[in-house]
């Protein structure tokens, strides 16, 4: 027995020692991949020495003799800090995530292959202008030189994630940057998803279902979807696919996600300093590190500073000495679904305008981690690629014997958007920037420009031209065999929007209910003269116009009614909640209980209004539709009929439904946060959890690399966040302003910038999360266009020397 004990003791000590050694080795190899920012590197591909000057916040200021040398150094700096993120973005565009994540990523890969993101990007390379092609080649050379440095110096494969998720690191190609831009374009558009949902609503309740999305009901009348496709039937609940997974590690850029932005500007005569002001805060998935990366480039046309996306040599939002620009997705319908009829007995043929036609077909294989390779057959009709996995609800609106094809402006092999963006970055004034932007194809964008002569806002991109007699006006899927349902072409649009009173503002909102844009207009018009600080205050505004509009209407018959209830009873909780909401100004502050009560109440109310009519389809209505709730409670066009529960004998009124919804919300919040209404906090539910796409779902590693923090704001505030709307944490933010910038043309060095995490993607770097706290508190950092100031504040200078051949 003693001998056995001794051997067990020795074995335990041995295992502990092995564990310690393993931890030390893991730490050693992880630390090896931390870049040395104060080094001299011999590299191939530059014509003269280049300096990468790192600021205290790890922002690279790049100085070189030629633009190609500067783009080379940007590629190297991106790879130093974000190599894993770059390779993941490339894999997402190529449809190769399954090689790393396994079968869970297969639907995303299947869709990326069917959309031909990478094929179209490769084909578009030749369509770029010579300067853009040179920039793409130089950028790719810079990325590859860093990969060569990693291999040469055994620098831990360049990022610790590659040890946990082993994969080959292929050299960067110029087409890779174009493919990532295609991926962002697909992520920005949600037109097809809206069509599918609208069709499902029409099938569920033909008389009124589409009111949910049409809001105030002033959109053109649409045909019933069942009249277009008599065989269309909703699948039974037990056969329905569940909603698409949210916040999956392999789905951090979700196709059809509908990312947004705010962009606004004031001309010089409306500012205190006498120079134009511009602010921009493009949305992004809340991932760690942020999608955006701050950088300053010293080009021959002048210094350029602002937000880049690792993988592309372009400053998407920023400024140069003469010009500032901000982008927002244009509020346009850039995609349609066409339903194709399959020839009976011939799966390779479909009904065209002139009879049965063969699909264009090819086969590809997708490698899946730890599983056999899967072969997929990609088919396209004259209307576009077949996309069975585009949306979970697509099966509901596709009749038996039919398939769905996608028309989308981004399905172009001659897309010159990259040339347009690089041309804008080099422009000396708003007019030349607008001219350069005329080459944008996808995504369509509302671009706000500011220079010394004033401000300008242009909508650019390829817009579909639909026939006047289009059967669905682009709002519902259309029969693919109808000639009148075809697009008549794509028209490049460069349309100026008026800038009355020296102000311009844009959001991505569409339809009659654009509450965030209305709030932004109020904030800008409320002051005669603006300053940088007033623009920052507007950008950080957390007041919900939806709350201000809906609460007086929904609670009109509930305020201060009934006798005071005993403490601890549900009636007392309701009275306390209503008392709080009655005095609330609509500010979605993380420290207050009112935003949480309001959000839970409106969510429960909308669900109660639609659940009995829509059934399981209601599960996919994840966001609040204020225009719909407003129409119901005002009984606009008879919309008050939604308040009656059709399965019950009594006729319920809207006041009863509002009270029941509030009680339901309070009960749910009590179970989660306790019975004291005044102790609840919006920030407890509204968390910005930056999830690492590689390590965030791996046990204890997720606890280390994910960055959770409570934040203010909401779905309809100017400081905008997109919530999950489902699951155990429905109010968790999944998207948010991954970058904020305010540019003051009166003083180049007074412009301010921030991203939501840190510059580095290395979890052991001090720059992994050093900007996250500033972002949460609404603070910014400065970045100077003055080369001397940049060098004076440098914490490290990487010098690139041309290597001898």
């Amino acid at each position: 027995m003693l001998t056995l004990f001794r051997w067990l003791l020795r074995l335990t000590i041995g295992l502990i020692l092995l564990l310690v050694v393993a931890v030390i080795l893991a730490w050693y190899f992880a630390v090896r991949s931390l870049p040395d920012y104060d080094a001299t590197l011999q590299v191939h591909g530059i014509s003269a020495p280049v300096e990468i000057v790192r600021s205290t916040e790890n922002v690279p200021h790049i100085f070189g003799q030629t633009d190609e040398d500067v783009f080379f150094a940007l590629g190297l700096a991106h790879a130093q800090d974000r190599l894993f993120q770059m390779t993941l973005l490339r894999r997402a565009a190529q449809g190769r995530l399954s090689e790393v994540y396994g079968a869970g990523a297969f639907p995303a890969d299947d869709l990326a292959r069917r959309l031909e993101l990478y094929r179209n990007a490769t084909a578009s390379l030749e369509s770029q202008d010579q300067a853009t092609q040179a920039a793409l080649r130089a950028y790719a050379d810079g990325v590859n030189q860093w990969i060569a440095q990693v291999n040469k110096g055994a620098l831990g494969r360049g990022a610790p994630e590659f040890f946990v998720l082993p994969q080959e690191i292929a050299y960067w190609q110029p087409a890779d940057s174009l493919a990532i831009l295609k991926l962002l374009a697909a992520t920005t558009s949600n037109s097809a998803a809206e069509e599918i949902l609208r069709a499902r609503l029409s099938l569920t309740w033909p008389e009124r279902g589409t009111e949910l999305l049409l809001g105030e009901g002033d959109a053109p009348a649409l045909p019933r979807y069942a009249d277009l496709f008599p065989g269309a039937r909703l699948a039974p609940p037990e056969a329905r696919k569940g909603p698409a997974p949210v916040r999956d590690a392999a789905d951090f850029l979700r196709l059809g996600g509908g990312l947004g932005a705010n962009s606004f500007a004031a001309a010089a005569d409306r500012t205190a300093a006498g120079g134009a002001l511009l602010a921009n805060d493009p949305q992004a998935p809340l991932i760690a590190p942020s999608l955006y990366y701050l950088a300053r480039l010293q080009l021959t046309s002048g210094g350029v500073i602002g937000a880049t996306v690792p993988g592309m040599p372009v400053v998407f939002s920023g400024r140069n000495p003469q010009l500032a620009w901000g982008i927002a997705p244009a509020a346009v319908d850039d995609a349609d679904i066409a339903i194709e009829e399959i020839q009976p007995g011939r799966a390779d043929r479909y009904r065209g305008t002139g009879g049965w036609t063969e699909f264009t077909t090819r086969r590809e294989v997708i490698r899946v981690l730890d599983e056999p390779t899967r072969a997929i057959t990609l088919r396209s009709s004259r209307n576009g690629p077949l996309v069975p996995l585009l949306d979970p609800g697509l099966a509901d609106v596709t009749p038996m014997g039919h398939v769905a094809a996608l028309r989308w402006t981004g399905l172009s092999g001659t897309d010159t958007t990259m040339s347009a963006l690089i041309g804008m970055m080099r422009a000396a004034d708003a007019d030349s920037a607008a001219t350069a932007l005329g080459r944008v194809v996808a995504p369509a964008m509302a671009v706000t420009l500011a220079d010394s002569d004033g401000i300008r806002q242009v909508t650019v991109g390829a817009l579909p031209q639909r026939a006047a007699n289009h059967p669905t006006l682009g709002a519902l899927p259309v029969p693919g065999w109808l000639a009148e349902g075809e697009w008549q072409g794509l028209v490049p649009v460069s349309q100026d929007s008026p800038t009355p009173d020296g102000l311009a503002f844009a959001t991505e909102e569409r339809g009659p209910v654009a509450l965030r844009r209305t709030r932004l207009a109020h904030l800008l018009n409320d002051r005669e003269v603006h300053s940088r600080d007033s623009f920052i205050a507007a950008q950080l505004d957390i007041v919900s116009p939806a709350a201000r509009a809906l609460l007086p209407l929904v609670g009109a018959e509930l305020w201060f009614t009934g006798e005071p209830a005993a403490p601890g009873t549900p009636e007392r909780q309701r009275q306390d909640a209503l008392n709080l909401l009655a005095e609330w100004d609509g500010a979605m502050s993380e420290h207050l209980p009112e935003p949480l009560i309001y959000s839970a109440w409106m969510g429960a109310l909308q669900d109660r209004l639609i659940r009995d009519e829509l059934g399981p389809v209601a599960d996919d209505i994840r966001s609040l539709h204020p225009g719909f709730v407003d129409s119901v409670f005002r009984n606009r066009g008879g919309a008050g009929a939604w308040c009656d529960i059709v399965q019950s004998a009594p006729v319920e009124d809207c006041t009863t439904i509002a009270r029941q919804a509030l009680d339901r919300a309070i009960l749910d919040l009590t179970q989660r946060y306790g019975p004291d209404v005044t102790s609840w906090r919006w920030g407890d539910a509204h968390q910005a959890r930056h999830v690492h796409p590689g390590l965030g779902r791996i046990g204890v590693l997720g606890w280390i690399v994910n960055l959770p923090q409570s934040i203010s704001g909401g779905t309809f505030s100017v400081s905008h966040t997109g919530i999950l709307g489902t699951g155990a944490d429905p109010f968790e933010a999944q998207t948010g302003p991954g970058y904020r910038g305010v540019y003051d043309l009166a003083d180049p060095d007074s412009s301010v910038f921030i991203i939501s995490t840190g510059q580095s993607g290395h979890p052991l770097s001090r720059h992994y999360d050093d900007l996250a706290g500033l972002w949460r508190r609404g603070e910014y950092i400065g970045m100077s266009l003055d080369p001397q100031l940049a060098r004076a504040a440098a914490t490290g200078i990487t010098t690139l020397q041309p290597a001898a051949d």
Side-chain angles (χ1 to χ4, degrees), residues 238 358 657 734:
E238 61 273 12
E358 288 192 3
I657 294 298
Q734 66 170 341

Side-chain angles (χ1 to χ4, degrees), residues 517-555:
R517 186 161 63 245
T518 302
R519 173 67 181 173
L520 190 54
H522 168 75
L523 293 172
L524 296 179
N525 286 297
D526 195 44
R527 296 174 62 103
E528 188 65 30
V529 176
H530 281 279
S531 65
R532 185 194 69 175
D533 290 342
S534 72
F535 260 44
I536 290 175
Q539 192 173 68
L540 299 176
D541 184 75
I542 60 173
V543 170
S544 171
R548 286 188 170 185
L550 293 181
L551 283 176
L553 185 64
V554 173

Side-chain angles (χ1 to χ4, degrees), residues 204-205 607-615 618 641-648 652:
T204 306
W205 194 9
D607 186 75
R608 193 168 288 263
L609 289 173
I610 68 177
R611 176 67 60 178
D612 58 317
E613 286 88 359
L614 304 185
W642 286 85
C643 288
D644 181 36
I645 306 299
V646 295
Q647 288 90 351
S648 66
E652 290 84 3

